[in-house]
Each structure stands twice: as C-alpha cells, then as structure tokens.
Amino acid sequence: MPANLESLHRFHSYCARFSSEVVEQIITEHTREDDNVFDPFCGSGTALVAALANKRKAIGMDIDILAGMLSEIKCEPRSHSDYSRWRQGFVLEIDRIFETIAKNIHLITTANLEPGMSWLVGDLKLHVPTLPKVNYWFPPELIAVLAAIADLAHRQDPHFEKVVLISLSASIIAKWPNTLSYAMDIDHTRPHRREQNLTLSQVRELFLKRLDRTLTCLSGLYDAYKAVGVSNKLKDYSWVIYPHDARQPSGLMPDESQDLVMTSPPYFNAVDYPRSHMLSVCWMNGHAPEELSSRRSYVGLHSSLDFDAVSWFQSHKAIYEHLPELLLHDKGLIRRLGSFFSDLENALIQTWRVLKPGGWAVFIIGSNVIKGERIESHRALANLAKVIGFNGIEVSPREIASPRRRFPVGPFGFNGPMKHEYIVRMQKSRLSSG
Ligand SMILES: C[S@@+](CC[C@H](N)C(=O)[O-])C[C@H]1O[C@@H](n2cnc3c(N)ncnc32)[C@H](O)[C@@H]1O
C-alpha cells in the first residue's frame, strides 16, 4: 500500500468525499497496474489520486468547476523543490499587493465595488466578481485583496494559477472564523452571514497558511506518485474532463476504453454544490461559468418540473414498488425522485458504454430519509443496472466512520448525520459490446 493518501487531501474541504482507504481497496481489487480507472462524478478527485498512487491511469469528470480544478491539481502535482522555488517569488508579489492596498485603504469603499466593475488601486487592476451580493458576503478591503490575488493567479503558469485559485477557495470555504468571508457553514448547504473584522496582516497570514498547506499536500502526492514510478508520466496517466455532464456522452471518452468505473454520484436532495461553491468560484474569473449558481445540470438539484414521472415509473415498476408507501401521494416528491433515478440511469448507460467487456463499475451511494421514510437509492441503482444488462450485481452496506464524509443535516434529506452508505458493484458481461 502506498503513502497515507487521506491526509494529502486535507488542503481543501469537499462535501461528501470518498474515504481514500475504501476506494484504494476497490481499485486494487478490480484492476491491475496500468489499467484505466474512470470516475464520472470525480468531485475532489479521491478516486483519481488512489488510482495514480497505485499505478493505474485515472480519468475524472465533473460538472463542477471547483471539483474539476481541484482534481486536476491533484493529478499533476510538482516536487517540493519546484514549489519552494516558485513560492519565493510569489510571496514577494503577495507582499506588494498588501502594501499597495494598505497604502490606498482610504480609497476602498463599496461605491467602487459593484459586481462586474473593474477598478484601479495604485497599479493593481482589480475585477469585482459578477456575484450579485458580493458586498454582502465580503467587506471592501477583502474584495480588493481577493481580486488582486485572483489577478496575480491569472498571471502564473496554468498549474500555479490553479494552485493559487484553489488556495484562495480553501481560504473562503473554511470553518468560520478562519475564513476570508462573512459566510459561516459555507461548505454546507446554506451559508449564514456573520461579520468579522480581520486586519490586512491577518488576511495575509490566513491566505499564506492555506497556500502552504496546499503546497505541502501536493508535494506529498508527488512523492506518492514518484514511489510507484508515475510522477514523470502524469500527462499520460491522468486526465480531468470538466465541466461535463456525466449523463451525456463525451466524445473524449471512447467506447469500451475503461477497466473500472469507480464513482459516487450525488445523493438525492443532498448537497447543493453550486451554492456552497459560489463564494469561492466567483474569484476564478475566466474559469467560472456566467451563471455561478446554476443548478441546471447538477444531478439531484436541477428542476424536474418537465419530467414525466408517470411514464418513467410505468417503465420502471420495480423501482416504484419499493418507494415508501407513505410518500406515494406526494406528486412533487415522486416527480423529483423519478427525475433523480432517471439521472442515475443515464449515468449508468454512459458507464456501460465506456467500460470494456468484463470491466467492473462500483458506485457508492447513500439512502437518505425524506419525511421520516428511507429512500433506498442503492436498491434503485441495482435495479437500473440489471435492466441495462450488468451482471454480478452486489450491494453491501458500509458504515461511515466519523465525520469524514460530511453531509448536511436537516430538512433537505438527512435525518441527522449519515451513518451508512452502500457499495453497489456490477460487471459488464465479457462477451457483450454495445
Ligand atoms: C458525492 S460527490 C463526489 C465526491 C467524490 N467522490 C470525492 O471523493 O470528492 C458528487 C459529485 O457529482 C458532481 N455532479 C453533480 N451533477 C453532475 C453531473 N451531471 N455530471 C457530472 N458531475 C456531476 C458534483 O459536482 C459532485 O462533485
């Protein structure tokens, strides 16, 4: 077994992350060295890292920009000495930013901070994000600092640009009060606002601490990849496709090309990724989509108003029969459930398409509680897999240890912290194709 990978993910939090240990075990069980592992809902890249650290090729896909960027830097880390060299020059530039902002602090008011405005502070040209309530979530001098750091990020080479933007994001998506915003619980579903007064030197210290943690973890990943001989061929061994909707085919993913699909799709009604990422993605100018909080393509979040649940459940009777009886009268809920299961079906169809004959797919999914009733998503998933043609379908429950895999608590689906999830395994027949 390679290095302890779990600790090397701890530079940026991500809701509902896999346990490294579990995915490593599944990957090593179902694949051999140099095989291809694909995660169509890769999130923060846990499966990709586990694949690379075990000398497998890794392809990730996600609809979310932050997920894509986070996964990408974990798949292309540099050595400790590369990061130290780069850091020396970068910190000098950071210091210049803070000096300029301190000198011009009297000019920085909300008047020149309307969303989408560009403004000059000394020789710093700053762009205010188009986020509608940017002034509500960030105080003026923090907007200036974050905009200046984002601008400095865009002047780095592509790897270091992402390193800076992800560290900036980690400084915002952090537990209050160690966060560079007024948002509490930002990594959960709905942030609450709470003001705090950070001095410029505290802001500098907080950001650099995050940056250093990013560099330490990334160089640790580099060492883990080096230990298995892939650190010098990461360009051939990994690839992250984003933003891409896993329900749709991607021309970049050939048919029958993958040995294992190892993934965890969103759970019904669970995590509002666009909302919890919006305060940090807004600083990634040039990377972020126009409509930052769009839910249009997120599984489990997009609108289901046009979804014809009656027809869908008619052709998926076995799934309907397993829905809790007490919920059947709630037409809106049934429509949203049908739409969610149909998203899983489409993701499974793409999984089937890209798997080599004989290849395995392993999905980890939770079964949450709605109005006191358990929705058995794992059972629906297994049923859909059977209809699509997978063999050897096996469902095993797994206890979620401690708060590592974090989910929101409350009315959006979970009846207290999640304690269980299910591992659903399936195999594409060796003979079949198409
Ligand atoms: C449970 S998380 C995966 C976490 C991941 N296993 C990890 O360890 O970080 C589900 C992911 O699905 C992504 N997602 C939601 N809808 C998607 C879609 N239509 N296509 C691709 N990814 C999507 C979310 O952005 C989120 O990153």
Side-chain angles (χ1 to χ4, degrees), residues 240-401:
V240 186
I241 302 168
Y242 72 100
H244 186 84
D245 185 341
R247 298 169 301 167
Q248 307 289 337
S250 160
L252 300 172
M253 289 296 297
D255 291 357
E256 307 202 334
S257 55
Q258 303 302 304
D259 298 282
L260 171 68
V261 171
M262 167 77 253
T263 199
S264 176
Y267 299 178
F268 180 67
N269 237 14
V271 181
D272 193 334
Y273 289 100
R275 188 189 287 267
S276 64
H277 293 170
M278 119 190 127
L279 295 189
S280 92
V281 170
C282 71
W283 301 99
M284 300 177 177
N285 297 343
H287 291 284
E290 278 288 287
E291 206 187 330
L292 289 167
S293 57
S294 167
R295 287 161 174 68
R296 218 175 293 136
S297 310
Y298 283 73
V299 170
L301 289 179
H302 66 83
S303 162
S304 60
L305 285 176
D306 296 333
F307 186 75
D308 181 357
V310 174
S311 309
W312 195 85
F313 278 119
Q314 252 162 18
S315 53
H316 297 81
K317 288 208 175 73
I319 295 181
Y320 188 80
E321 278 158 17
H322 281 116
L323 292 178
E325 217 173 312
L326 282 174
L327 299 182
L328 295 182
H329 67 279
D330 185 340
K331 299 274 176 276
L333 176 61
I334 295 300
R335 193 181 57 234
R336 286 194 298 123
L337 274 171
S339 161
F340 173 67
F341 293 146
S342 138
D343 284 347
L344 293 185
E345 183 178 35
N346 288 327
L348 274 175
I349 290 170
Q350 290 313 313
T351 295
W352 174 276
R353 180 183 74 78
V354 300
L355 267 183
K356 291 179 184 172
W360 283 86
V362 182
F363 278 53
I364 301 190
I365 193 158
S367 291
N368 44 332
V369 173
I370 308 279
K371 296 184 176 173
E373 298 292 315
R374 187 163 297 282
I375 309 286
E376 298 192 301
S377 299
H378 56 286
R379 196 196 273 257
L381 189 73
N383 191 287
L384 291 167
K386 190 169 159 206
V387 172
I388 289 169
F390 284 100
N391 297 323
I393 301 165
E394 193 190 292
V395 179
S396 44
R398 154 172 196 275
E399 230 172 86
I400 303 173

Side-chain angles (χ1 to χ4, degrees), residues 213-261:
R213 195 181 315 167
T214 306
L215 301 181
T216 304
C217 290
L218 289 178
S219 58
L221 286 177
Y222 178 89
D223 291 341
Y225 302 159
K226 192 170 176 196
V228 294
V230 296
S231 58
N232 55 354
K233 38 186 175 183
L234 290 169
K235 288 221 176 323
D236 299 327
Y237 266 64
S238 67
W239 192 11
V240 186
I241 302 168
Y242 72 100
H244 186 84
D245 185 341
R247 298 169 301 167
Q248 307 289 337
S250 160
L252 300 172
M253 289 296 297
D255 291 357
E256 307 202 334
S257 55
Q258 303 302 304
D259 298 282
L260 171 68
V261 171

Side-chain angles (χ1 to χ4, degrees), residues 14 16-18 41 43-44 46 62-64 244-246 273 297 299:
Y14 201 85
R17 226 172 55 66
F18 274 147
F41 298 98
S44 62
T46 319
D62 205 289
I63 195 75
D64 189 275
H244 186 84
D245 185 341
Y273 289 100
S297 310
V299 170

Side-chain angles (χ1 to χ4, degrees), residues 91-208:
V91 172
L92 291 179
E93 301 213 47
I94 286 287
D95 287 343
R96 207 176 61 76
I97 286 177
F98 278 90
E99 275 161 28
T100 308
I101 288 175
K103 224 185 287 167
N104 293 282
I105 200 92
H106 57 287
L107 299 175
I108 300 172
T109 64
T110 42
N112 43 21
L113 289 172
E114 285 306 311
M117 278 173 71
S118 288
W119 52 306
L120 272 176
V121 174
D123 61 349
L124 305 175
K125 187 153 191 269
L126 311 177
H127 305 286
V128 184
T130 48
L131 185 76
K133 287 168 84 182
V134 68
N135 284 302
Y136 178 78
W137 293 112
F138 302 94
E141 56 289 355
L142 195 50
I143 295 184
V145 169
L146 296 175
I149 297 177
D151 185 60
L152 178 58
H154 299 320
R155 286 184 273 119
Q156 311 299 305
D157 91 10
H159 176 70
F160 290 105
E161 177 187 32
K162 280 175 248 152
V163 165
V164 178
L165 293 177
I166 286 294
S167 305
L168 201 63
S169 166
S171 322
I172 295 167
I173 303 189
K175 267 202 179 2
W176 200 92
N178 296 315
T179 162
L180 295 186
S181 82
Y182 284 161
M184 293 177 80
D185 314 325
I186 175 84
D187 56 340
H188 275 213
T189 298
R190 278 156 214 274
H192 298 96
R193 183 177 186 272
R194 186 150 165 200
E195 286 194 16
Q196 59 169 335
N197 286 319
L198 288 174
T199 62
L200 282 178
S201 71
Q202 283 170 322
V203 172
R204 178 185 174 281
E205 196 185 324
L206 216 144
F207 170 70
L208 287 181

